[in-house]
Every structure is written in structure tokens, then in C-alpha cells.
Amino acid sequence: MKKLFLLTLILIALSCKNNDTEHKVAIAEPEHTIETPFVWEGANLYFLLTDRFNNGDPTNDVNFDRTETPGKLRGFEGGDLKGITQKIKEGYFTDLGINAIWMTPIVEQIHGGTDEGTGLSYGFHGYWAKDWTAIDPNFGTKADLHELVKEAHAKGIRIVLDAVINHTGPVTEKDPVWPEEWVRTDKQCSYDNYDNTISCTLVANLPDIRTERNEDVDLPPQLVAKWKAEGRYEQEVKELDAFFERTGHPRAPRFYIMKWLTDYITEFGVDGYRADTVKHTEEYVWQEFKVECDYAFSQFKKNNPDKVLDDNPFYLVGEIYNYGVSSGQYYDFGDKKVNYFNPPSFQSLINFEFKYNAKEKSYEALFAYYSEILKDELKGFGTLNYLSSHDDGSPFDAERTKPYVTANTLLLAPGTSQVYYGDESARSLVVEGTQGDATLRSFMNWGAIATEPETKAILTHWQKLGQFRAQHPAIGAGTHQMLSEAPYYFSRSYQKGDFKDKVVIGLELEKGKKVIDVSKVFQERVMLRDAYSGETATVENGTITLDTEFDVVLLEKE
């Protein structure tokens, strides 16, 4: 009986084998589940002004007697680190598919205000440093930053701070100019060549750090007096002595600032820096900064093995105003071209060209263009795309009439996406009564999110696309291929080690029934899920059929 049973099993197996051979059907084999890696080149990064996002602690809204009446949207509005942490805990960023947050500088700002011709301004934006070693109390405390990083990392969200090396804050009655050995104040930039962009002040009252200097300088007397009054002078000097002994660097201005900035890495475990005004310092400054950032990050990981998220390197992205990906790895000063990727400095640069490409090109032309550049001129590096920002006076959609197109364009494009706070909620970038870039910096429109149905619908669209992007590195870091022009479908594919990621996306489709050819991407009998509608379907004869009320399809393996 046992032999007869065994013979029967053999005959059934042979029959199945012959049947499969005869029909030649490719059946998907089961795959082992591999955790989705975080990839900076395809990250979904949220950029916010620390002071303008969420007020988590009203008791810290006024400090240093900053009580003069400023120009509209040119004073502190109450946003702080606790407010950001609150939204992290609530899951706001997770729901939006955000896996990295970039905050404007949080170091102590000048205590006084200044008028640049647009009304009295305080350093609410964070770019007017007075003391790099302290967190401005308007933004919070060191304990607040520790809590923010801890809560963000618990949700898989990286934290990127903002590094200013090339200037101090403006001079006011409360904020004296730094010594001449530290800063220049006599020449304003004309931007017509390399030297006239670097060895000069950005604007009239913004002292320029002498980043080219290699001779030793003493600490500014105002910092010495401040630290002594705060009871931490000896500790700061001790740490500086150790830094200069370890590195062998001269006690030149730029290295002091690098030490102060990298302390935020070793102490708090931040994951990256966005470097401000990159083209206004010598390029070797950023190569030196990268070395110190990498060292600090390695020390943090060594000292805090339980807090290490993964083996990604420290993220360094540069702001070179008016740089675009069409330039490849170079920025042209007119009389000189500089490569800011090699020798090693930046992993990525902010792409000021993206908003123009988005206006001029169709989805397919845009996506194909960026996929090609990132696999060619920028291979091994990345780009940070945005459509609105804090100092770009010509955003893609200032009046927010195209929030759905903005989301599709930004979140589905190859490269890293930079969501500017309020992009996802159609926060208006046209504010009556403001001057200059203040119109871009209104407080986050939480009220509209809570009460207005249209705002909620817009946010839902951003959430669906953002979560899909965060779950699929292929979207930002993968290879693009158009599957059909009308209706418009395309695929993205990405592989890193044993991890493989493939998606199919459709835009501007007919609502209702959709027959989708996925034969070039997915195997027969694979179950697919449309992440936009939640509907599922199985691949049969190379296609799936969906019936949804939406004009967007986001296909992934179920």
C-alpha cells in the first residue's frame, strides 16, 4: 500500500510539472520579507521654520527683552522644539510619510533687532547667530532637543539641523561686532565673480566670518564675558583645547564654529546638516566640515550603540543659491567652476531648478529627465528638490491653486523631496502687508487643517503619496520607466543588496474602471494593492483591473 501511495504522488508531481511546462506560466515565487532600508537619496524631508510651526511652550515666547514691535511676520511667533516634538508624538509626520525633518537653526540669536529696509526684524529664523554653543531659549532647551531627537528616532524620522559658518548675526546696540580678526564688514558682495561672492558680506550689516584665515585667533571678548556670566567658561575652553589638540587645526575662526556645530552631533545624535550659504565660503571649508561631521557621528554611534538607527553616513546637503541639477556636479561663478561633490563634501545639493522644470515639463518629461541625471552626472550623489521654500520669492504655486499637482510633482519625482511646512495644507504664501520673504513665513495653518474640508482633502492626498514614497525607496532613488503615455503609467525599480523594490504609478487617469498592464514589472498571479484606494487585484495575463473613484493609482505588492 505504501509503495502504491508513493507511486501515485510521483505521477501527480510529474503531471503538474508537465502541465506547467506545457502552459509556460510564470508563477511568482515567495520572497523573504526584508526590512525597507532608509535611503537619503529617496527620503521625504520636511523643512520647517522652528519659530513658525507649533507653539508647544508659551512660557518661552519672549526672551532677552525682545519686545519692540517688529515688521509684519518679522518677530518671534512662539514656535519651538516642544511644539515639533508634540506633532512627532501625535504622528503628524508619520501620517504624512515624512522620514526626515530639517529645522532652521536653533542656536542663540542676537538679542536685539535690526531693520534691513523691511521693518524691524528679530532673529526668529535662526540665521543670526550670537552664540553657537547655546540653544536660543525662544526655541527651547537642550533637554527639549534631546526629547525631540529621541521621539523622532523612535518613529524612524531623522533630524537635520541647519549649519551657518560664514556669518554672525547683525550688529545691534545689544550685539557688538566680533573682532576684526574674526569678521570683515568693509566689503559687500557684488556676486560677479568668485572672490566677490566669498570674501565679502552678504548684505550691509551681516559680518562675514574670515573663513579663509589660518592664523590663530582668540575667543571674541563678548563670548568670554557671556560664558563667564553663565558659569561655563572653563568647560567651553577645556573642550576647545581638546578639539584643537585632536584635530591639529589652527585656532582659526572656521574651526571654532565647526567644533561648536559638531557638538550637536556628538551630544544629541542629529543625523544631518543643511549647510547655509555654501558658495559664500571657500570650497575646502565644506570638505573640512564633512570630516569633522563624520568623526562626530562615528563617536556618537560608538558611545550610544543602543541609539544607532542604521549604517547610513551623516547627511550633508548644501545650499548653493541658484544651483540646478543641469549643472551636474559644478557651480559656475562666472570666472571659476567649483565641484562641491568632489573632493568629498556634500552628499546632495538643494536644487533651485526644480520649480522651473516642474512648470515647463510634463510629468513624464520631468521624471525621465531627473532619472537620467541622477544615474549619470550625479551618480552616487543626490538632489534635494523643492517647489516652495523660506527664501524663494517665486514659488511654484504661491496662491496654492494647484496643491494636488504640487504633491504629484514633488513626491513622485526622482531625488529627495523637500516638503516646505504648509505645502501639504495649502498654507498661503501670499500674505498681505508683508515685505520680502516674510510672506513665505506665516505660522502653520493648523486651524484650516482642523476645520476646512478642502484643506483636509488636500492633506489626505499628500499623506497617501507621502506614505507611499516613504515605504518605497524606488520612487526617489530608483530607475524610472514609462509604461504607457495615455493613460499615463510608469514604474520605478530599486535594489540595494538583497532588498528589491518595484512600484507602478498612474496619474491623471479616468475615474472608475482601469485595466492596467503591469507585465513589464510584476509576475503572473501576484497580488497587488493600490495604496491610494486600498483596493487589491491579482495579475492575470499581465494585467490587473481596478474600479476606483480616483485618478491616481499607486501599485505595490500586497
Side-chain angles (χ1 to χ4, degrees):
M1 180 64 71
K2 290 182 179 179
K3 290 183 179 179
L4 179 60
F5 179 70
L6 180 60
L7 180 60
T8 303
L9 284 180
I10 294 172
L11 290 174
I12 291 173
L14 288 173
S15 175
C16 290
K17 182 178 179 181
N18 291 338
N19 189 53
D20 285 348
T21 304
E22 180 181 348
H23 293 285
K24 297 181 180 179
V25 176
I27 301 175
E29 296 182 0
E31 296 182 1
H32 297 292
T33 301
I34 300 175
E35 185 177 353
T36 302
F38 174 82
V39 181
W40 277 111
E41 291 79 8
N44 194 19
L45 181 149
Y46 194 93
F47 171 37
L48 57 85
L49 268 70
T50 309
D51 176 69
R52 298 296 162 85
F53 185 66
N54 189 38
N55 191 345
D57 183 6
T59 66
N60 67 14
D61 288 358
V62 180
N63 292 280
F64 307 122
D65 195 30
R66 294 173 175 143
T67 54
E68 291 188 62
T69 302
K72 187 165 185 178
L73 290 177
R74 292 200 170 273
F76 285 89
E77 298 273 332
D80 49 32
L81 298 174
K82 282 187 176 179
I84 300 167
T85 304
Q86 177 185 326
K87 292 300 177 181
I88 292 173
K89 288 182 176 180
E90 290 176 3
Y92 180 78
F93 296 104
T94 301
D95 291 344
L96 196 55
I98 297 300
N99 47 23
I101 299 172
W102 154 28
M103 304 182 294
T104 47
I106 57 175
V107 302
E108 186 173 328
Q109 299 295 285
I110 60 170
H111 295 181
T114 187
D115 191 339
E116 296 179 304
T118 55
L120 180 76
S121 295
Y122 284 113
F124 70 90
H125 44 66
Y127 294 98
W128 289 351
K130 180 182 182 74
D131 184 354
W132 275 268
T133 70
I135 295 175
D136 195 291
N138 266 76
F139 303 138
T141 66
K142 286 189 173 183
D144 294 338
L145 183 57
H146 275 296
E147 178 74 1
L148 187 154
V149 174
K150 183 187 77 171
E151 293 297 332
H153 284 178
K155 292 186 178 294
I157 299 171
R158 275 71 178 167
I159 296 299
V160 178
L161 296 184
D162 208 315
V164 180
I165 292 180
N166 91 296
H167 64 269
T168 68
V171 179
T172 76
E173 291 183 0
K174 297 180 179 180
D175 308 283
V177 65
W178 288 38
E180 187 177 355
E181 293 79 13
W182 273 84
V183 300
R184 62 171 63 81
T185 59
D186 57 337
K187 178 184 176 184
Q188 191 170 335
C189 297
S190 58
Y191 308 107
D192 51 359
N193 61 35
Y194 181 81
D195 287 337
N196 291 338
T197 302
I198 290 180
S199 304
C200 47
T201 67
L202 295 175
V203 294
N205 185 21
L206 199 64
D208 184 66
I209 297 289
R210 296 185 183 276
T211 48
E212 79 286 357
R213 185 184 177 104
N214 286 309
E215 295 78 26
D216 290 355
V217 296
D218 293 329
L219 284 165
Q222 55 263 60
L223 269 189
V224 172
K226 180 177 184 294
W227 292 350
K228 286 184 176 180
E230 294 170 351
R232 58 190 180 95
Y233 171 74
E234 288 78 9
Q235 179 62 32
E236 293 295 339
V237 170
K238 179 181 178 181
E239 291 181 13
L240 284 168
D241 290 344
F243 172 82
F244 286 115
E245 182 178 354
R246 175 183 66 79
T247 63
H249 291 313
R251 292 175 180 258
R254 69 183 185 276
F255 293 118
Y256 279 96
I257 298 174
M258 287 182 198
K259 188 272 178 191
W260 297 332
L261 288 172
T262 53
D263 281 350
Y264 290 90
I265 306 172
T266 50
E267 181 173 351
F268 300 96
V270 299
D271 307 279
Y273 262 124
R274 176 264 192 185
D276 182 62
T277 56
V278 164
K279 69 179 180 181
H280 298 287
T281 68
E282 299 76 12
E283 56 270 25
Y284 56 76
V285 171
W286 304 109
Q287 296 161 24
E288 295 164 339
F289 186 50
K290 174 178 169 52
V291 170
E292 295 309 320
C293 286
D294 289 346
Y295 176 80
F297 201 43
S298 69
Q299 289 300 109
F300 174 80
K301 289 184 173 183
K302 177 182 176 181
N303 296 332
N304 302 274
D306 58 322
K307 297 179 181 179
V308 176
L309 291 178
D310 54 36
D311 59 356
N312 269 297
F314 190 79
Y315 182 63
L316 202 57
V317 57
E319 180 230 15
I320 302 174
Y321 207 84
N322 286 334
Y323 164 83
V325 294
S326 293
S327 300
Q329 295 183 25
Y330 288 85
Y331 180 79
D332 191 352
F333 285 88
D335 63 335
K336 180 179 181 180
K337 289 185 178 181
V338 174
N339 188 327
Y340 286 96
F341 292 94
N342 278 312
S345 49
F346 292 106
Q347 184 174 340
S348 184
L349 296 178
I350 296 174
N351 177 25
F352 289 81
E353 178 184 334
F354 188 73
K355 63 176 184 175
Y356 299 111
N357 297 147
K359 288 181 179 180
E360 297 166 357
K361 299 177 183 291
S362 65
Y363 286 135
E364 173 57 26
L366 177 76
F367 297 160
Y369 180 62
Y370 275 75
S371 182
E372 181 179 354
I373 285 177
L374 289 166
K375 297 297 182 290
D376 189 6
E377 294 100 322
L378 292 178
K379 186 175 182 180
F381 300 105
T383 184
L384 181 56
N385 302 321
Y386 75 90
L387 290 175
S388 64
S389 193
H390 66 317
D391 58 3
D392 188 329
S394 302
F396 175 74
D397 181 25
E399 296 182 352
R400 304 299 198 181
T401 60
K402 300 181 289 186
Y404 295 91
V405 172
T406 301
N408 297 347
T409 305
L410 180 65
L411 298 180
L412 299 178
T416 306
S417 52
Q418 174 199 300
V419 179
Y420 186 47
Y421 79 106
D423 280 351
E424 76 279 16
S425 56
R427 177 181 63 88
S428 179
L429 303 178
V430 180
V431 181
E432 187 177 351
T434 56
Q435 295 189 55
D437 52 22
T439 191
L440 307 168
R441 303 174 177 184
S442 60
F443 208 84
M444 181 65 177
N445 57 337
W446 296 114
I449 290 175
T451 62
E452 297 179 7
E454 179 56 26
T455 302
K456 291 180 180 179
I458 292 168
L459 178 60
T460 297
H461 181 72
W462 281 78
Q463 289 172 333
K464 289 181 178 181
L465 266 62
Q467 289 182 34
F468 192 68
R469 180 186 179 91
Q471 293 161 8
H472 294 286
I475 296 174
T479 300
H480 173 86
Q481 180 182 11
M482 183 175 72
L483 300 178
S484 67
E485 185 174 4
Y488 180 50
Y489 287 100
F490 61 90
S491 69
R492 297 276 168 77
S493 59
Y494 173 81
Q495 182 170 354
K496 182 178 183 180
D498 293 332
F499 176 78
K500 297 179 181 179
D501 188 28
K502 295 183 291 184
V503 297
V504 169
I505 298 171
L507 297 175
E508 298 183 341
L509 309 173
E510 290 291 333
K511 296 180 180 180
K513 185 177 180 180
K514 305 168 183 65
V515 179
I516 309 168
D517 184 350
V518 296
S519 59
K520 294 181 180 178
V521 184
F522 297 112
Q523 291 179 299
E524 199 73 3
R525 302 184 191 177
V526 166
M527 176 73 78
L528 300 181
R529 175 179 178 270
D530 172 24
Y532 201 90
S533 67
E535 298 295 319
T536 59
T538 302
V539 180
E540 299 287 351
N541 298 318
T543 68
I544 65 165
T545 301
L546 295 173
D547 193 345
T548 75
E549 58 181 308
F550 306 109
D551 63 357
V552 176
V553 164
L554 307 173
L555 292 179
E556 61 187 0
K557 283 188 178 181
E558 173 69 351

